[in-house]
Each structure stands twice: as structure tokens, then as C-alpha cells.
Amino acid sequence: MSSSPPPLRRPSIPAPPKVRTAVLAAAADLALILAFAAIGRDAHQRGEVITGVLATAWPFLAGAAVSWLALRVWRAPLAPWPAGVVVWLGTVAVGMLLRAATGQSVVLPFIIVALLSLAVFLLGYRLVVAWVRRFGTSRKQA
């Protein structure tokens, strides 16, 4: 009876902190854009919860992806400037262009709401992280 050696197990290697930060920031952007779409759909009492949210969110998700790639946001994903501002404005600009190109409504009140809401969401958490990092660093030095 021949027994084969146990298979070699590769130790799990944790992702470098920079990669982990970029993945978490991208996930936060994704979740917040989906929340924006869900809140908007709920405010207008539209049905089709999951597919409706995805239909509303996809142009903005595409805008965020384009922004991440164009600026290579993964290099400093939590920086309010320029990463946060570029992701915010790119998300809204590309999102509105894609909505218009696919026959979805693009009206001034919606553009304003999207600009304000996504500023609070996409810039907001980056500003909080920057403040916590600054406050935590100055506190440790004191």
C-alpha cells in the first residue's frame, strides 16, 4: 500500500496594507454608490428593489471605475484630494453621461442631488479617515 505525501499547503500571505486599503476603499465606494441608488429609489417609491437599484447605480459605478483607473486612485485611495474629489466628480459626470446615453432621465434637480449626496458619501468618509489619522498621529506625538 503506497501512501502519497500530504499535499503541500502554501501559507496564506496577507495582502500588503496598501493593497488592503485600496480594496477597502473601492468596496466603500461601491457600497456608498449602491446606498445612494437605493435611497433614491426608495424616496421615489419605485419597485424592483434589487434590479432597480442596480439599474440606477450602474452608470455611477462605471463612473467611479473610470475615475479610479484614470487617476490610479489605488495609490492613495483615502486621500480627500485629489482621489476623493476626482472619484466624486467623475462618478457624477460619467454617471450622468451614461444615463443620458441610455435614455434615463437627467434633470437638473437630480444632478444637484447626486452631486450633494455623493459628495457627502464619497468625500465624507475620506475626510473622516483623514481627520482620524491626523488626530491619532498628533495625539501619539504629544
Side-chain angles (χ1 to χ4, degrees):
M1 179 168 169
S2 151
S3 68
S4 60
L8 293 176
R9 292 184 52 171
R10 300 183 103 187
S12 63
I13 301 170
K18 203 167 193 175
V19 171
R20 189 171 34 248
T21 300
V23 168
L24 290 173
D29 287 350
L30 173 93
L32 291 167
I33 292 167
L34 289 172
F36 161 73
I39 291 166
R41 291 194 61 87
D42 184 59
H44 296 287
Q45 301 171 348
R46 296 209 169 108
E48 302 174 1
V49 176
I50 294 174
T51 57
V53 168
L54 293 175
T56 301
W58 80 261
F60 299 103
L61 293 170
V66 166
S67 300
W68 269 75
L69 292 171
L71 190 65
R72 294 186 272 179
V73 170
W74 57 85
R75 294 183 297 175
L78 295 175
W81 173 259
V85 172
V86 169
V87 170
W88 162 51
L89 293 176
T91 296
V92 175
V94 173
M96 292 300 172
L97 289 171
L98 288 172
R99 283 181 63 86
T102 58
Q104 297 181 53
S105 68
V106 178
V107 294
L108 184 59
F110 179 57
I111 295 169
I112 293 168
V113 167
L115 278 166
L116 294 175
S117 301
L118 289 170
V120 169
F121 284 175
L122 300 176
L123 283 175
Y125 85 91
R126 286 176 168 93
L127 288 169
V128 169
V129 168
W131 182 81
V132 167
R133 285 181 171 175
R134 181 174 297 142
F135 180 73
T137 302
S138 65
R139 186 123 199 205
K140 287 178 186 176
Q141 292 174 353

